[in-house]
Amino acid sequence: MRVRKTKILGAVTLLFSATTLAACGSSVPEVPAADTVELEPKDVVSRVSASATIDSREVVALTTALTGPVTAIDVRVGQPVQEGQVLARVDTSSVQRELDTQRAQQMVSEATSQSQLQAAQQELNQKQEAMNRGLNPQIAQAQAAQRDADAALSEANASFQQRKAEVDAGLDARLFQQGNAVDAARRNITIAGLASVRANAVNFINALTGQVDQITPVVGILETDEAYKGARRELADAQRGYEIALHEVDADLEAKQRAVGQAYLAKSNADVALEVARLAAQQDLQASAAGVEQAQRGLDASRTAGAVGQGQLQVDLQNGEVRSPINGVVTNVVAQRGQPSSGHLLTVADPERLLLTANVNEVDSGRIKVGNEVTFTTPSTGMKEFRGRVEDISPVAAPSAGGAEGPAQTPARPEFPVTIEVIGDKEGLRIGGSAKAQIVTGTARASLSVPRETIIDDNGKYSLLTLRDAGEGEYEVTEVPVTLGLVTDLEVQVKGVDPQTRVLKNPGDYRSQVGQRVRVPSGKAQ
């Protein structure tokens, strides 16, 4: 009996344990499959969304300095134009009248200058010809005076030599020495006189101007030169000594020698006067040549001044036709027919070189870098996607659209302009249109990512709730620390977990169950 009771008790105990285990198995909570996500490698792309305006890189405002009225506007806004095409015309009749007036004045001025040049050249040619043929009046007069002095000297010297020959028998050696001294003094005075002339040519030439007698002013200026004065004193002393010695021999011989001395002085003065006349003639010739050069410069200056003034007027005439400097499209027309033309007339932009301009908030502007890829769409092209590249991020915030902030207004959040170059296909894009841009700020290839709401942030320490396989269809709720990578608007790149890991989407609902087991009904994780 005891044995049977024991066996019965054991059976009851086993049955109770099985029932308990069964009861325990049925109490493991379930987690909906929709509350989990299974990690799979994929590309994670971070983007900044921005509204943008389509602009042209090359926008040319066509202006004019002419003040005449606009006579024609040949284009309208939106019209394609070609480089060199006439877009507008301005009345240039007043410019043409001014050009005609200046041309007439230029002809008169050139004729006057040309006449002055011809007269100066003719005067130079005449003087040069007279110089070449020996017909210069001053030189001719000085040469005549020199010839007279030569003749007088020859006559006086012949008379002296004749008388000297008659009394030669009574002469002594002292007379020969004194005669040689006189000859040396005469040569010296001539040399000194010519040297003085060449050193003081201007004074001599001025003294001769308007003088009939060529000798007197020359001698007067020579007297002021110390070297010449010394030579004259030496000659006078030698001549006087010679005359005294001759007088002691023969009084008539002395008188004839005195006449020779006077004739020699006249001859010396005539030689100097001839040199002065030659220098004066040469200077006069040079002055005439300078007059020719001056007349030529006057003619050249007149032509240059006329060319400058008329050249600007001709440019103004050409500017009467306002032409497009580029292939493009007209984006603005300011001028009106019949109105004054000075200032801005119209604007042309190049539709093949486009830019997007977007204002981005302060936080997102820090994530954008030059060179970031951009995709964008426009309302007029529907779902067609265009491409671009970030070209510039302004370091200065854009002006507030609301103008000045009042004391009761909330300060506007700063936004920073971002310039985006449009690349590739541009068909359908319109200058001045709007666009919705997606600026790619980062890409993580073949990485693991989770929805942003799955991240647990504990004062900068990040973790995930994962389901670790515990067997028999059960999972243990586990908190796993992770590090974050690229962050987008919807998801976050995570590091520290393996592919195929199941992550709980709503960690706030399950964090109290960390360490416990749960079941996940059959079904694919989201």
Side-chain angles (χ1 to χ4, degrees):
M1 292 294 292
R2 287 183 177 177
V3 175
R4 290 183 68 187
K5 285 182 179 180
T6 300
K7 290 181 178 180
I8 293 170
L9 182 58
V12 172
T13 301
L14 290 172
L15 179 61
F16 177 78
S17 298
T19 304
T20 301
L21 289 172
C24 291
S26 62
S27 66
V28 174
E30 289 187 354
V31 174
D35 282 0
T36 66
V37 60
E38 186 173 324
L39 301 185
E40 296 288 347
K42 65 176 183 177
D43 293 344
V44 179
V45 181
S46 175
R47 295 181 175 87
V48 171
S49 299
S51 297
T53 301
I54 302 173
D55 298 313
S56 174
R57 180 183 294 278
E58 186 172 14
V59 179
V60 183
L62 302 183
T63 62
T64 181
L66 301 177
T67 57
V70 176
T71 58
I73 296 291
D74 299 330
V75 292
R76 64 184 185 282
V77 174
Q79 178 177 332
V81 295
Q82 301 297 315
E83 180 179 354
Q85 179 179 338
V86 177
L87 309 183
R89 290 180 173 83
V90 178
D91 183 6
T92 57
S93 58
S94 61
V95 178
Q96 183 63 58
R97 287 193 297 272
E98 177 63 21
L99 179 60
D100 293 341
T101 300
Q102 287 197 14
R103 283 174 174 169
Q105 293 173 345
Q106 176 67 21
M107 291 177 63
V108 173
S109 176
E110 276 198 33
T112 301
S113 298
Q114 189 69 48
S115 176
Q116 292 173 347
L117 175 61
Q118 291 174 351
Q121 186 65 57
Q122 183 177 6
E123 180 183 358
L124 174 62
N125 292 342
Q126 290 173 347
K127 290 180 179 179
Q128 185 65 61
E129 183 179 3
M131 178 75 75
N132 295 339
R133 296 175 60 185
L135 300 178
N136 181 276
Q138 283 118 353
I139 295 178
Q141 183 179 3
Q143 287 175 334
Q146 186 189 48
R147 285 193 298 271
D148 292 343
D150 280 338
L153 176 61
S154 297
E155 183 179 353
N157 194 52
S159 178
F160 171 73
Q161 292 297 332
Q162 180 179 359
R163 180 57 185 162
K164 181 173 176 293
E166 293 173 354
V167 297
D168 253 351
L171 296 179
D172 57 23
R174 186 167 59 91
L175 291 179
F176 289 104
Q177 294 176 354
Q178 290 177 332
N180 291 336
V182 169
D183 291 339
R186 288 172 179 172
R187 289 193 298 271
N188 186 45
I189 194 173
T190 300
I191 294 171
L194 293 177
S196 176
V197 166
R198 293 179 182 121
N200 302 277
V202 174
N203 293 333
F204 282 103
I205 293 168
N206 291 338
L208 287 175
T209 303
Q211 296 287 335
V212 176
D213 178 11
Q214 299 290 320
I215 302 299
T216 303
V218 171
V219 175
I221 295 175
L222 285 173
E223 290 291 348
T224 64
D225 187 271
E226 292 298 327
Y228 181 74
K229 289 170 67 177
R232 283 183 70 89
R233 284 195 298 270
E234 291 178 2
L235 177 59
D237 292 343
Q239 180 72 34
R240 187 164 47 253
Y242 191 29
E243 289 173 358
I244 292 172
L246 289 173
H247 181 73
E248 293 175 357
V249 176
D250 186 90
D252 185 43
L253 187 62
E254 174 210 353
K256 293 184 182 305
Q257 176 57 38
R258 186 179 303 111
V260 171
Q262 293 172 350
Y264 190 87
L265 283 177
K267 167 67 167 58
S268 177
N269 290 338
D271 290 343
V272 171
L274 176 59
E275 183 67 16
V276 171
R278 285 172 177 164
L279 290 174
Q282 187 63 38
Q283 187 180 55
D284 187 39
L285 198 62
Q286 292 173 351
S288 296
V292 172
E293 293 180 359
Q294 183 176 2
Q296 183 65 59
R297 287 195 297 270
L299 177 60
D300 293 342
S302 175
R303 288 173 175 171
T304 300
V308 171
Q310 294 172 34
Q312 183 57 55
L313 291 173
Q314 288 171 346
V315 170
D316 290 344
L317 283 177
Q318 294 173 357
N319 290 339
E321 290 186 340
V322 181
R323 299 176 180 271
S324 175
I326 60 173
N327 295 330
V329 62
V330 178
T331 60
N332 186 24
V333 176
V334 179
Q336 296 182 11
R337 184 178 299 173
Q339 294 296 318
S341 58
S342 181
H344 185 195
L345 301 178
L346 45 88
T347 303
V348 176
D350 186 351
E352 297 301 319
R353 303 178 64 195
L354 299 180
L355 298 172
L356 297 185
T357 303
N359 289 339
V360 178
N361 65 56
E362 188 171 8
V363 174
D364 287 338
S365 67
R367 297 165 52 194
I368 300 172
K369 307 296 181 186
V370 172
N372 285 162
E373 294 183 359
V374 180
T375 59
F376 66 95
T377 58
T378 70
S380 62
T381 54
M383 299 302 294
K384 182 178 180 180
E385 194 169 77
F386 298 89
R387 297 172 52 246
R389 183 183 297 111
V390 174
E391 185 175 277
D392 180 66
I393 304 101
S394 173
V396 180
S400 173
E405 298 171 358
Q409 293 179 327
T410 302
R413 293 184 178 181
E415 293 184 328
F416 292 82
V418 175
T419 303
I420 300 165
E421 177 190 12
V422 178
I423 57 178
D425 181 23
K426 302 177 184 66
E427 185 177 358
L429 297 180
R430 299 176 179 176
I431 296 174
S434 63
K436 185 65 175 179
Q438 299 291 329
I439 304 172
V440 177
T441 58
T443 302
R445 304 292 183 186
S447 62
L448 301 178
S449 64
V450 296
R452 293 186 64 160
E453 66 268 16
T454 64
I455 299 296
I456 300 173
D457 183 358
D458 189 5
N459 295 323
K461 294 181 179 180
Y462 304 103
S463 59
L464 296 173
L465 293 186
T466 65
L467 298 178
R468 188 176 64 188
D469 191 354
E472 298 182 359
E474 295 182 359
Y475 298 88
E476 180 183 347
V477 178
T478 306
E479 186 169 352
V480 179
V482 293
T483 56
L484 307 185
L486 197 62
V487 179
T488 74
D489 292 339
L490 301 178
E491 57 187 351
V492 181
Q493 178 191 5
V494 291
K495 302 176 183 179
V497 291
D498 298 324
Q500 282 75 51
T501 299
R502 283 201 170 194
V503 178
L504 290 170
K505 290 184 178 179
N506 302 307
D509 296 339
Y510 298 103
R511 198 173 188 187
S512 62
Q513 299 180 30
V514 171
Q516 297 181 13
R517 293 191 176 191
V518 296
R519 287 182 176 276
V520 179
S522 60
K524 188 173 181 181
Q526 298 298 310

